[in-house]
Amino acid sequence: MFVGHYGVSFATKRADASIPLWVLFLAVQWLDVMWAPLVMLGIEKVRIVPGFTATNPLDLYYMPYTHSLIAAILWSGAAVAAYRFVAGASAKASLLVGLAVFSHWILDLIVHIPDLPLYDNAMKVGLGLWNHPIPAFSLEAALLLVAMLWYLQSSHVRRPALIAFGLVMLGVQAFVFFGPPPVSPDAAAATALGAYGIFALAIWLLVDRHTLRAASIRS
Ligand SMILES: [Zn+2]
């Protein structure tokens, strides 16, 4: 899953407005943010096989450190600890950030073919929605847009700007599903990492920059 993960960011933001959206944008993609450098270092492995699934050509045959269930639980726990003890956030906010990290694995489970190990590189699971392009794209769009609109009901963020950003994200999703395949595993990893960084920066510019300033004026 790609942009659908950000639906969790917006829903979590509505549940606890103290958490910056850029943090939640990185949290919901954290397993992929770690996956990209591990692929580039040759520690986790992916093959580009055109036609491998109906929506993308990624044969993700070895990713025990980021996308096994055990790894997802450990990364989520690390996120709770980091947000609580490094960032000094509340217990509730820290738990929510941990759940945001873990949500990545649950949503990946729906779309991935059985390439998600329960532990190490064994017992792989995945429900395979990637092989059904229209339902897969619809799920990504619905998760993103429904949660974004739900969040917008509770905030004073400029709606047109955020909705336009959401549509750009859907455009990127369409390119990933229906555009040309990446030229290499390194290119796929670098593109993904770049997109996660740009999206996090964009949401900081669109939302966090203004809300943090408003909070500091109030205090
Ligand atoms: Zn993933």
Side-chain angles (χ1 to χ4, degrees):
M1 177 161 289
F2 183 26
V3 300
H5 287 297
Y6 295 110
V8 175
S9 301
F10 288 110
T12 308
K13 177 70 174 172
R14 174 145 178 173
D16 187 335
S18 76
I19 312 170
L21 266 171
W22 72 266
V23 169
L24 292 168
F25 265 45
L26 290 180
V28 298
Q29 298 290 16
W30 189 250
L31 303 184
D32 281 12
V33 168
M34 288 289 99
W35 168 82
L38 291 183
V39 165
M40 289 189 264
L41 290 168
I43 296 168
E44 293 203 335
K45 297 179 198 302
V46 55
R47 272 184 291 254
I48 308 295
V49 182
F52 190 71
T53 76
T55 54
N56 73 71
L58 302 179
D59 177 7
L60 297 152
Y61 64 98
Y62 188 72
M63 42 180 193
Y65 307 112
T66 61
H67 280 74
S68 68
L69 176 59
I70 294 292
I73 292 169
L74 292 174
W75 282 115
S76 304
V80 173
Y83 203 58
R84 181 92 173 104
F85 300 113
V86 180
S90 70
K92 178 193 172 194
S94 306
L95 189 64
L96 286 171
V97 167
L99 287 172
V101 172
F102 188 67
S103 74
H104 184 98
W105 196 87
I106 298 297
L107 292 178
D108 270 6
L109 177 66
I110 298 170
V111 296
H112 278 236
I113 61 161
D115 57 20
L116 298 167
L118 294 186
Y119 66 94
D120 190 29
N121 199 36
M123 298 185 70
K124 296 189 181 183
V125 292
L127 301 176
L129 197 64
W130 271 344
N131 277 326
H132 306 277
I134 301 302
F137 187 82
S138 304
L139 178 66
E140 302 259 9
L143 281 169
L144 175 65
L145 295 180
V146 169
M148 180 187 276
L149 293 173
W150 190 59
Y151 159 69
L152 277 172
Q153 286 180 345
S154 73
S155 83
H156 304 291
V157 172
R158 286 192 301 141
R159 278 162 201 241
L162 198 58
I163 291 171
F165 177 49
L167 295 177
V168 168
M169 292 169 102
L170 282 185
V172 176
Q173 177 76 54
F175 185 81
V176 169
F177 270 8
F178 308 116
V183 294
S184 69
D186 278 2
T191 308
L193 197 57
Y196 301 143
I198 290 168
F199 287 163
L201 178 64
I203 204 66
W204 177 79
L205 287 168
L206 281 168
V207 179
D208 298 321
R209 193 166 56 110
H210 307 294
T211 50
L212 294 175
R213 190 189 299 145
S216 68
I217 290 168
R218 271 200 301 276
S219 64

